[in-house]
Amino acid sequence: MASTLLGPAEIRDLADLLGIQPTKKLGQNFVHDANTVRRIVTASRVTEGTSVVEIGPGLGSLTLGLLERGAVVTAVEIDKRLAEQLPETVRLLQPGAELTLIVDDAMRVVSLPTEPTHLVANLPYNISVPVLLHFLEHFPSLTRGLVMVQAEVGQRLAADPGSKVYGSPSIKAAWYGEWSTAGLVSRQVFWPVPNVDSILVAYDRREPKGTEPERVATFELVDAAFQQRRKMLRQSLSSVFGSSGEASDTIEAAGLKATSRGEELTVDDFLAIARVRLAAAGS
């Protein structure tokens, strides 16, 4: 069974074959441990026939693990050399597995030939939050996911209001669903070994908090609040409302204290402020 996945020797051989030196620019750290791959696949709750989208499959470690489980995988890869090799790797190790490959920048992908229900990926550290939010925005069919990200980023995604790591990513992620950490991943299972720890983060999607205009308005408030996170909301949101007085009136009309700080508010709190603002603009 182990021969259907990639080990350290296979990873190195593939990289040599393609002339690839993993780059920090693309956040390339390849998983070479089959047990870790199977652990990720199990935690993702993917089963036979599950439609999965994978972002940045790289040399195919996680792709093969998903296919081994019987998933139907659509993979998005920006590196053309990696993209050209991946179908061949799958053909050799798991002939007959269902893989669709999209060669593009994940941040530009707004449609897919399938309607995936699961997102499972080892996300590049440098773009993990933007690409994750991009896919959640554009693919409402995604109801469940498991991503491996830098530990600090993962803890931020799953953070609750009031914690030291709670911030803009925490609130924007909460718009789409429930988030939780699902275990640390050793640095030693990657090649090259990264200088940061990794963590698994799981999410379960729920019904949208509001409309698309409400999401845009809410996210604008969140960005403003956390650009000056130490300031009170009436000050940090004054750039959005035009003055601290207008900000105070709107915040209080939403049932919140203008002296609060962004790190104390939930996504529902920010949505309440956005709705008061939108109602005033439409009246």
Side-chain angles (χ1 to χ4, degrees):
M1 194 174 186
S3 62
T4 64
L5 301 184
L6 298 175
E10 290 85 359
I11 289 286
R12 296 296 184 100
D13 288 346
L14 279 170
D16 289 344
L17 174 68
L18 299 174
I20 285 176
Q21 288 294 325
T23 67
K24 285 187 177 181
K25 180 181 177 183
L26 294 178
Q28 291 173 324
N29 296 93
F30 302 117
V31 180
H32 60 64
D33 180 68
N35 288 331
T36 298
V37 168
R38 291 192 175 113
R39 173 189 161 203
I40 294 170
V41 173
T42 298
S44 73
R45 292 179 285 179
V46 165
T47 59
E48 185 173 354
T50 300
S51 181
V52 178
V53 62
E54 181 188 6
I55 301 165
L59 293 170
S61 299
L62 183 54
T63 314
L64 290 165
L66 292 165
L67 293 171
E68 179 186 75
R69 185 59 61 93
V72 179
V73 178
T74 299
V76 180
E77 176 57 62
I78 191 174
D79 189 313
K80 290 183 179 179
R81 293 172 300 173
L82 293 170
E84 288 174 358
Q85 177 61 38
L86 184 58
E88 180 66 11
T89 301
V90 169
R91 187 186 68 80
L92 290 170
L93 294 179
Q94 293 185 31
E98 294 188 62
L99 171 68
T100 300
L101 194 61
I102 308 295
V103 186
D104 205 345
D105 181 344
M107 289 297 292
R108 290 172 29 186
V109 173
V110 294
S111 65
L112 291 169
T114 59
E115 286 201 358
T117 58
H118 287 56
L119 188 158
V120 185
N122 170 20
L123 292 176
Y125 292 157
N126 52 344
I127 62 159
S128 54
V129 171
V131 77
L132 185 56
L133 293 175
H134 174 82
F135 267 69
L136 290 171
E137 175 187 345
H138 289 283
F139 299 102
S141 64
L142 292 171
T143 58
R144 185 169 287 171
L146 186 81
V147 294
M148 181 159 56
V149 295
Q150 183 177 340
E152 181 183 345
V153 172
Q155 288 159 354
R156 198 171 292 152
L157 284 168
D160 292 321
S163 76
K164 289 182 179 180
V165 295
Y166 185 74
S168 172
S170 320
I171 297 172
K172 291 180 178 180
W175 178 273
Y176 298 104
E178 302 286 346
W179 298 78
S180 60
T181 56
L184 292 169
V185 179
S186 168
R187 300 183 188 193
Q188 304 307 314
V189 303
F190 295 96
W191 175 73
V193 178
N195 56 7
V196 294
D197 292 318
S198 297
I199 199 169
L200 298 175
V201 182
Y203 83 89
D204 283 291
R205 190 153 192 152
R206 60 181 168 219
E207 286 300 306
K209 287 284 185 180
T211 65
E212 179 60 12
E214 287 174 340
R215 182 194 68 79
V216 172
T218 299
F219 283 18
E220 182 185 9
L221 295 173
V222 171
D223 287 338
F226 285 93
Q227 281 171 0
Q228 305 178 74
R229 67 178 293 152
R230 293 189 177 184
K231 291 189 175 182
M232 291 182 283
L233 282 177
R234 67 186 182 199
Q235 295 169 297
S236 62
L237 298 186
S238 62
S239 61
V240 175
F241 289 98
S243 70
S244 59
E246 187 67 28
S248 292
D249 291 344
T250 307
I251 294 164
E252 288 169 0
L256 300 161
K257 294 180 180 178
T259 53
S260 300
R261 290 176 171 79
E263 62 199 34
E264 299 169 7
L265 270 60
T266 66
V267 64
D268 295 310
D269 294 332
F270 277 103
L271 174 57
I273 299 170
R275 281 177 169 159
V276 172
R277 183 187 177 208
L278 289 170
S283 62

